[in-house]
Amino acid sequence: MRDVDRRLALDAAVELTHFAFRAMTARPDALLEKRGLSRVHHRILHFVVRLPAPSVSQLLRTLGISKQALNGPLRDLYAQKLITYARAPDDARVKHLSLTPEGRKLEGRLSALQRAQFAQAFAAEGAAAEAAWRAVMRRLAGGEIRKAGYRLPDGRSWVGSNDI
């Protein structure tokens, strides 16, 4: 009986993750859709603004997608003047990406919507619940964060890291 209860609780956790993600992306997705853009464009904007002038290779590693999957959305963002690039001075093959003022404005609107949702949920549940949620999310995302070579805004790379 306990195994069945645990399985149901874990299934519920997976389902909550699905619906929470859907809730977190609904409003940003609606804004993006008005511009003919999608969630992948949001992910690109999100990480380009947070990484210091990322190269295309660094963005590929962070997003965990193929060059082919990135190429079309990058062209869309460039065509809409939301993103720009500069060639590396020491290697013309390397492109460093940045957001244009319009790209920063759009990314800011998208992220503000999501920050507000998190702020409301964390305020309602309290600091202990927020800390527990962050610990679980770090544990779940740890392998992907390490693989991407990414550091979270709080300076930590993953749970259990000695270099935090």
Side-chain angles (χ1 to χ4, degrees), residues 47-85:
F47 283 106
V48 168
V49 81
R50 284 164 181 80
L51 295 167
S55 66
V56 171
S57 295
Q58 184 180 12
L59 187 60
L60 287 168
R61 188 173 65 246
T62 300
L63 295 175
I65 61 176
S66 70
K67 202 176 214 180
Q68 226 174 358
L70 181 63
N71 190 38
L74 264 183
R75 276 187 309 195
D76 297 339
L77 293 169
Y78 187 76
Q80 290 192 27
K81 297 182 178 16
L82 298 171
I83 199 164
T84 189
Y85 68 88

Side-chain angles (χ1 to χ4, degrees), residues 100-118:
T100 64
E102 184 66 24
R104 283 184 175 278
K105 182 178 168 186
L106 176 60
E107 192 286 325
R109 287 181 65 204
L110 298 170
S111 289
L113 291 170
Q114 293 180 318
R115 280 192 297 272
Q117 284 181 285
F118 273 112

Side-chain angles (χ1 to χ4, degrees), residues 15-44:
E15 291 164 14
L16 281 169
T17 302
H18 167 77
F19 289 110
F21 182 75
R22 201 163 87 182
M24 288 297 301
T25 57
R27 291 183 65 203
D29 283 357
L31 281 177
L32 289 162
E33 189 176 336
K34 289 177 185 175
R35 297 185 75 121
L37 302 175
S38 65
R39 193 167 300 143
V40 69
H41 297 93
H42 183 190
R43 291 175 59 210
I44 293 167

Side-chain angles (χ1 to χ4, degrees), residues 84-107:
T84 189
Y85 68 88
R87 300 241 181 235
D90 57 332
D91 188 345
R93 297 170 298 174
V94 177
K95 294 179 185 178
H96 288 282
L97 305 168
S98 61
L99 298 187
T100 64
E102 184 66 24
R104 283 184 175 278
K105 182 178 168 186
L106 176 60
E107 192 286 325

